[in-house]
Amino acid sequence: MQIRTTNAHVRDAAYAMPAALFMALLFALPLFSVLHQSLQQENGGGLTIQAYAKIFTTPLFLRVAYTTLEVSISATVFSLLLAYPIAYFLAKQSPRRRALYMILVLVPFWTSSLVKSFSFMVLLGQSGIINQMLGAFGIAPVKMLFNRFGVMVGMSHFLIPFFVFPILTSLRSQPLELAKAAAIMGAGKLRIFLRVTLPLSLPGVMAGALLVFILSLGFYIIPALLGGRQDMMFANLVDFYTREALNWPMASAVAVLLVAAAALAAMLLSKVRGGSSILSEEGH
Amino acid sequence: MPDLQPLSRRSVIGGLTATAIASPAYIRPGWAQGKRIVIVNSGGAMGDAKRKALYDPFTKATGIEIVTASGPDLAKIKAQVERKDVEWDITDLNDAWVPAAARLGLLEKIDESIVNRADAIPQSKHDYAVGGTVYAAGIAFPTNRLGGKAPKTWPEFWDAKGFPGRRGLRNRVTDTLEIALMGDGVPASQVYPCDVERAFKALERIKPAVSHWIAQTAQTVALIQGNETDFTYTYTTRVKDLQAVNVPIDYSFKQNILGIGWIGALKGTRNRDAAMRFLAFTMDKDRQVELSNLSGDAPTYADALAKVDPATRKWLPNIADPDNLFVNAAWWDSRIEELNTRFKEWLLT
């Protein structure tokens, strides 16, 4: 990194000002008011940590926290298994074809979650298209909706693009000579992948995993529409305390903890090699 | 320098008046004179029925324009009232909301000098809301599957062996707790005060047979149509609308849960007088008969029932049937948060 003058720093800061102001007004300020709300007593009065004390002794919160972690981790693994081959395939294409295929990767990303969830009901339901096809072969209908499987399908459909891009960056930054050198030394294709390509792409995998995990923590509509009775996540709990229980200090406290968890994961992201490729332009 | 005539007060006022007259009606601040009120309702078929039976006739009679918003929401009402920025004048209210909304000071007290509801059924009266309709909920089932064998009462619904099939219940504790007690054999007259422990035991027993704990009302019957459930808790109006388009579905009028379609005015509305006049209008017998004809829910006057079209009347619940249960919102008020939290926990295990 080159040495910069103070003037350049001031100039760069000026470029960031509009965005910083925008975020301060529309993100930091409301977030502060949520934090403030979480420290209120249920029936008014002074500041208190009552809501937090109640949260950590409520079995409902502990169960939902467990479910949120479980769903987020499995969605991350499920998406990785589907995204890695896509990234690998994309890395091998000519730039023109890659651009075309990347649009295909992004198409589901541009469709509303709500619309997609209803489409999954048509596809995966007991009388859905897939079960009708299975029925034609005399196979009994498989329950694919309103359970954890439905949640996984819905979530990974949304999350895959977030995984593909960091992995693709990692794969493309590998010097082609490395694979060639390994081949000259007599390694087979599988061995080259396992010993050279895969290890070198791990920073991209880690970065993607953290990003996808952070996004998963906040899922709301997909678990509500495609999940079963046990698939209640943090955001659904916030909704419950806001609209059904009308207990806003509790709703705010859950929201604060959710933001804290996401912030913690984001800090980890900045520490991982390859994570920087998402958080700044210095990687690639 | 030319002689500039100073602006006189009269010329300024005259100019403003001319501007006001020249501008089209919709940009005049009608709300300031109480000439426009905002009503939030649940939309759909009921929203259309209310537009025809209540809103348009009210505008015709009083000149007060009615604008509707969709999706009554207690949290949004609370936010509007607490921030003293009331955007909705009138709101539809669920049974369970009325005591909570009154306790939290979110509603205007009903002005009995404007609203006349002396003859209405007692269940439809509350200091802070008027009851405009009676709705009924019970068991719906498909007529094209399972050989037409379906539970018609709550004990039958709870009999998973005698009536095999996937069941649909709501994912909230209100109504579900009462249903569980009736399913366990408690007669409607003894449901309140609810024996909570007995209800949860009964819920535990039916849990394995319940395939869906439903969040949205529209899903109740949609899941039957989509062959995801076989028997479901739903409302008469939903089944009536589907039968009208020849969907093979039917409804049991035994052991129905009866509730009131409440309407209230938001505390601090800038149009309190117009809002009260509208509430009085909804308690007009003829308006209620018209609304019943269009919506399929019952009027809150016992003697208005006979005036409803016979085709609609067969869908109306029998308010006098002792096997039907009127929701007791007052019982719920102090318990709803604790029981709803317990119910959600129970659903997750």
Side-chain angles (χ1 to χ4, degrees), chain A residues 42 54 58-60 63-64 125-127 143 145-146 229-232 240-248, chain B residues 73-75 78-79 82 104 166 172 207 212-213 219 223 226-228 337 340-341 344-349:
Chain A
E42 269 174 47
K54 202 168 154 191
T58 308
L60 180 62
R63 273 217 78 91
V64 169
Q126 295 273 298
S127 316
K143 194 169 160 56
L145 265 192
F146 310 118
R229 66 178 160 87
Q230 293 180 315
D231 298 312
M232 190 180 191
F240 166 68
Y241 280 122
T242 310
R243 297 195 310 125
E244 287 187 58
L246 277 190
N247 189 335
W248 291 1
Chain B
D73 184 321
L74 203 48
K78 188 174 179 234
E82 285 181 357
L104 295 168
R166 299 156 296 174
R172 54 160 199 250
K207 203 178 197 176
H212 286 85
W213 299 88
Q219 273 188 296
L223 289 168
N227 193 17
E228 298 280 347
E337 186 187 341
N340 223 348
T341 307
K344 296 273 169 183
E345 275 165 19
W346 175 83
L347 271 187
L348 294 179
T349 51

Side-chain angles (χ1 to χ4, degrees), chain B residues 21-101:
Chain B
I21 290 168
S23 58
Y26 58 84
I27 61 169
R28 269 180 240 161
W31 49 267
Q33 301 133 36
K35 286 293 182 199
R36 187 186 141 203
I37 52 176
V38 179
I39 298 184
V40 57
N41 67 31
S42 324
M46 190 59 169
D48 294 343
K50 287 189 165 177
R51 170 58 71 190
K52 281 191 199 132
L54 297 174
Y55 307 159
D56 287 345
F58 180 73
T59 304
K60 211 172 161 196
T62 63
I64 299 169
E65 188 195 342
I66 289 179
V67 177
T68 52
S70 189
D73 184 321
L74 203 48
K76 287 184 188 162
I77 292 170
K78 188 174 179 234
Q80 288 183 30
V81 173
E82 285 181 357
R83 284 188 206 123
K84 300 203 179 349
D85 182 17
V86 179
E87 175 191 333
W88 299 337
D89 298 301
I90 300 265
T91 179
D92 283 3
L93 295 154
N94 284 347
D95 263 310
W97 291 357
V98 174

